[in-house]
Amino acid sequence: MSARAARVVHLDLRDRDAAEAADRVAELLHTAQDLELLLVVDSASAVVRHRAAFEALDASRQVSKLLCLVAGRPPAAPAAPGTDPAVLRLPGNIQRRALWVIEETGVDWPLRAAARARRRDGRDGDGLARLAELLRLPALFERTHRVLGEVPFGAAVPGLHLAGHGGTGQEDFLLALRAAIRRALDPASPAPPERADEGARGRVPVRFTAGGDLRRAFDDAEHALAEAREAAVELPGAGALLRELPAGAAVRDAGDRLGALRDRLADLFGAVPDGDRLTDDRRAAIAARGVEPPPPEPFEPRPYRDGLHAWLADGLRRGVSLPRLDHDLRASAAALDGRGGHARRLRTACPGDLLDGLRAPAPMAPPQPWLPAAGAAAAALAGLSPLGVAGGLVMALLWTALVALTVLRGPGGRIADHSSALGLNAFAALAGAIGGGVAGDTGLPPAAWAAAVAAAVAGALAVVAQSWRSRAIRWGDETGLDRAETALQDMRHLLGGALADWARLNRRLDTVDELNALRQALAGVREELVERAAKLDADDFGRPARSPLRYPEAVQSWLGDLVTEAVRGAPHGERGEQAGPHVRKAAQLLIDDWEHAVERGHAPEAAPFVTDSRPVPLIDAEDLAFAAEQAGHDPAGEMWQLCAPEDLALLDTAPEPRAVRFAPRSAGGAAGLPPGTVAVPSAAHCGVLRLVPLHAGVVEWTWSEDDDGGSVEAGRDGRTA
């Protein structure tokens, strides 16, 4: 899995003649497999004829360590118990590398010559298969290879003490992988980490082209609005009643100028459609419309991509699911892709109803309904003079003329439009004049009637002036000049924002492409994980070994590393739409290799894509005592010996037994296990492998052979003749 991690390759030569065995070896040597550790299974009846195949393996220099499991009985078995043992003929080049499984069912037997052996009932399965399963764990294979080299006479019959239920640990791994995939596909997950995206940057200065129409349009609109504002400010004054002030014309001109500016900006924004890149042709079109195009900001895809992958890896380590990551990426891409829209914002900044109101301002409001009462009062006061009714009529005429003047001087004012209001004021003043004249017949002192006439004139002028001021201010407010000035500023800001957006437009679109490419890649991974989850749900893993919670959590973290590795090689840029199928295939290959490696006995954390390869305990501290007890089993005690009761005479019980102890990685580490215990990456294995030597003369190592099994130039006891 890593650069140095070996795998145990399995080669079955049973039921093969010499030529077939040689062909199988030649075929194996021409594959791309790493053959550093090779486990060969052969039959006792044919292994001697496969000498050439073993020589080819040794000569290839591809095999560093080889173990051969020899299964079954030799052609010439003992005639009866107690007689001289038959010779097991083995090729000399597998000396100190051979384990003889005489019978697969085996017996329960303590390592004592006089001890009674009990046949097993086969409930624990095939002994040869269980042994081969153990030796597919690389660490256990290498330790067995070393210990077997110390066994007298170069071969041994294995015995087993097994506490686990078997397997390579793949069942535990697949169960944890299935749970990790479910969490990776669950939309309900922690929020992804914050990511630095394309945010607001400094504004780009607006530089108009020399003599351009756009600058002139801004200046004209600003000047026209200033004149309209000045006219609107002067209009409420009394002077506007004495001389005509063209306030309406100034407002209409401001509307025309503002509309012309909006049209030029709309033409400018139309030169760079939303979502399109800023090409040289579009830069020239911007310049032709009166503004210098900004220099484009550079985009460096590799640093941005590395940052995006770092964000992805961080999110996966935090347990963020693929749907949640996709949602965040989609929102970011939509926010970036939604920028622009300058023409739409232009219509918002300077809406059509504003321009319509400026180009055709409403007439000034008619005289207020309370004016006739004031006119009647003024005429009545004037009627108190010695002139009587005649004096009141003069004041009534003056009042009516003043009210008519406010209509004529008002923007859009026409007498015909306000005839009813003027008639009402004239009638009220006439009535007041008659009433005042009748009251004046009583004869007022000169001072009294003089004061009344003065009050009538002054009051009439003051009331008419206030009426005019109120209506003029209201008209100025209703023209929309305040909105127009705001619109002009908004259009200035909008132009600056458009230039800033155009400066980073290509960079923004490149960023969107990167985000969408990552989304496509994650979609490919998600499709593969959905299919893989369905397959794992359909498989029956049986009873899992006990594993702490940290192991499934670690597998989830390693799955995140796998996703990051698969995504890293995804196509980008214009080929981003191909990322999904490409990454799905990459994820499929990575998961397949991962599963196969674990099946062969490799630790899951030894995968090349794993960033934190620290071993994860497979059993908790409370299970350590049981593991230590099983791995510390006495090699001389009762064990599952892979032979029949009648074969025990072939075994030499005198030497101290060689043993290989093994146990799962534990929370307590190797400190709580017997010295020399091999830590295996599987909670399914715990126990002892015992290697029992054979008596001298049982094994005959051959260095040449003939097809008839005739003369053999050989030696016994590990020595050549």
Side-chain angles (χ1 to χ4, degrees):
M1 293 283 287
S2 65
R4 184 64 185 87
R7 52 162 292 197
V8 178
V9 179
H10 183 269
L11 175 63
D12 193 342
L13 296 181
R14 288 176 292 181
D15 302 323
R16 307 282 180 177
D17 59 26
E20 290 174 334
D23 290 343
R24 288 292 302 275
V25 168
E27 180 182 351
L28 179 66
L29 293 175
H30 285 84
T31 63
Q33 297 186 76
D34 180 5
L35 304 179
E36 183 178 354
L37 306 180
L38 181 62
L39 178 64
V40 181
V41 180
D42 210 333
S43 57
S45 60
V47 63
V48 71
R49 296 194 298 274
H50 297 163
R51 181 182 54 81
F54 288 105
E55 288 178 350
L57 290 171
D58 289 338
S60 71
R61 298 182 180 273
Q62 298 183 46
V63 181
S64 297
K65 296 180 176 64
L66 181 146
L67 287 177
C68 182
L69 301 183
V70 181
R73 302 179 185 281
T83 62
D84 292 335
V87 174
L88 173 65
R89 299 172 60 225
L90 297 176
N93 49 0
I94 63 170
Q95 187 174 337
R96 302 193 184 280
R97 298 187 289 181
L99 292 173
W100 186 14
V101 180
I102 305 176
E103 185 176 282
E104 297 176 0
T105 303
V107 295
D108 288 328
W109 176 66
L111 191 62
R112 295 192 304 275
R116 181 173 177 269
R118 294 181 291 105
R119 279 195 173 274
R120 296 176 64 88
D121 56 11
R123 285 179 299 178
D124 292 325
D126 181 345
L128 177 64
R130 294 295 296 273
L131 178 61
E133 184 181 87
L134 281 174
L135 294 177
R136 289 181 70 178
L137 301 173
L140 199 54
F141 179 99
E142 295 191 79
R143 179 67 61 83
T144 303
H145 183 276
R146 180 170 64 81
V147 172
L148 184 58
E150 303 169 356
V151 173
F153 311 133
V157 175
L160 299 171
H161 173 74
L162 299 176
H165 60 76
T168 61
Q170 189 186 28
E171 294 82 2
D172 292 339
F173 168 73
L174 292 180
L175 286 169
L177 178 62
R178 181 173 65 182
I181 290 176
R182 287 173 176 170
R183 286 192 291 270
L185 297 176
D186 187 358
S189 78
E194 293 293 331
R195 178 166 50 84
D197 230 336
E198 289 290 295
R201 301 192 180 190
R203 300 187 67 84
V204 175
V206 178
R207 294 187 175 91
F208 295 103
T209 56
D213 293 335
L214 186 59
R215 178 178 214 134
R216 190 179 308 113
F218 269 106
D219 292 342
D220 291 347
E222 185 175 13
H223 180 69
L225 280 174
E227 288 188 347
R229 172 59 68 184
E230 183 179 357
V233 170
E234 292 180 4
L235 186 62
L241 287 172
L242 301 177
R243 61 182 178 86
E244 184 177 3
L245 188 65
V251 170
R252 286 191 294 270
D253 183 58
D256 291 338
R257 300 295 184 180
L258 199 64
L261 174 60
R262 192 185 80 159
D263 292 342
R264 291 199 175 276
L265 286 177
D267 181 52
L268 172 63
F269 297 154
V272 185
D274 294 338
D276 287 351
R277 293 183 177 273
L278 190 63
T279 61
D280 291 340
D281 290 342
R282 293 195 171 108
R283 290 173 59 83
I286 292 173
R289 285 161 175 80
V291 65
E292 295 182 5
E297 293 183 0
F299 177 72
E300 299 179 7
R302 174 55 61 185
Y304 182 80
R305 201 172 299 151
D306 290 343
L308 202 57
H309 289 164
W311 169 83
L312 173 65
D314 186 25
L316 292 171
R317 279 194 297 271
R318 297 185 186 193
V320 183
S321 68
L322 297 183
R324 189 67 183 270
L325 291 169
D326 178 76
H327 179 272
D328 185 79
L329 291 171
R330 182 175 67 250
S332 298
L336 290 172
D337 213 11
R339 295 180 185 176
H342 308 297
R344 182 184 67 253
R345 289 204 287 271
L346 177 62
R347 291 189 294 271
T348 302
C350 186
D353 66 312
L354 172 61
L355 296 178
D356 293 341
L358 292 172
R359 288 167 172 165
M364 183 181 285
Q368 293 90 340
W370 50 264
L371 277 178
L381 288 174
L384 296 176
S385 69
L387 297 177
V389 175
L393 291 176
V394 172
M395 179 53 66
L397 181 61
L398 176 62
W399 174 263
T400 304
L402 289 174
V403 174
L405 182 63
T406 64
V407 172
L408 291 174
R409 289 288 188 257
R414 296 173 59 210
I415 295 296
D417 294 336
H418 304 286
S419 58
S420 60
L422 291 175
L424 185 60
N425 275 274
F427 179 78
L430 178 61
I434 296 173
V438 172
D441 289 341
T442 58
L444 291 175
W449 64 258
V453 171
V457 174
L461 292 175
V463 169
V464 169
Q466 179 59 37
S467 170
W468 166 258
R469 177 178 177 81
S470 175
R471 288 151 57 200
I473 291 175
R474 178 182 174 188
W475 178 85
D477 292 341
E478 291 177 349
T479 56
L481 288 177
D482 290 339
R483 290 179 60 200
E485 291 170 347
T486 301
L488 179 61
Q489 295 303 316
D490 288 346
M491 285 192 284
R492 288 188 184 279
H493 294 153
L494 185 58
L495 176 59
L499 291 175
D501 185 62
W502 290 339
R504 60 186 64 102
L505 175 60
N506 292 352
R507 175 189 180 92
R508 176 168 57 81
L509 295 179
D510 288 335
T511 301
V512 171
D513 288 343
E514 291 293 336
L515 294 175
N516 287 333
L518 181 56
R519 288 190 62 209
Q520 293 288 336
L522 292 179
V525 173
R526 189 161 52 181
E527 290 174 2
E528 175 59 29
L529 293 184
V530 167
E531 183 174 321
R532 188 72 56 150
K535 179 181 177 183
L536 292 174
D537 287 339
D539 290 338
D540 181 12
F541 300 113
R543 181 179 59 86
R546 290 187 62 185
S547 296
L549 185 60
R550 279 172 293 175
Y551 182 60
E553 289 179 346
V555 173
Q556 182 182 8
S557 174
W558 301 331
L559 180 63
D561 293 337
L562 183 147
V563 172
T564 304
E565 179 67 21
V567 167
R568 187 170 286 115
H572 300 278
E574 295 180 354
R575 300 187 300 118
E577 67 276 2
Q578 305 173 11
H582 179 93
V583 173
R584 177 174 183 177
K585 183 65 176 178
Q588 178 186 10
L589 294 176
L590 287 172
I591 297 176
D592 286 343
D593 290 346
W594 201 18
E595 290 183 1
H596 294 161
V598 174
E599 183 183 10
R600 293 190 299 265
H602 290 290
E605 66 270 18
F609 52 79
V610 171
T611 56
D612 184 1
S613 58
R614 289 175 296 178
V616 176
L618 296 176
I619 58 174
D620 278 332
E622 58 264 25
D623 295 326
L624 181 60
F626 175 77
E629 178 184 355
Q630 300 305 313
H633 183 79
D634 183 6
E638 185 174 278
M639 295 178 65
W640 179 9
Q641 200 69 37
L642 298 181
C643 64
E646 58 269 22
D647 300 316
L648 296 176
L650 305 176
L651 276 58
D652 186 0
T653 60
E656 182 180 353
R658 268 72 172 180
V660 178
R661 306 178 188 276
F662 52 93
R665 289 190 304 265
S666 67
L673 298 172
T677 301
V678 177
V680 295
S682 167
H685 293 103
C686 184
V688 181
L689 169 62
R690 178 173 69 189
L691 305 181
V692 182
L694 295 158
H695 282 294
V698 173
V699 179
E700 187 173 16
W701 302 100
T702 67
W703 297 95
S704 65
E705 62 188 36
D706 54 45
D707 292 338
D708 298 329
S711 62
V712 176
E713 182 181 344
R716 296 187 179 185
D717 307 339
R719 298 183 298 274
T720 58

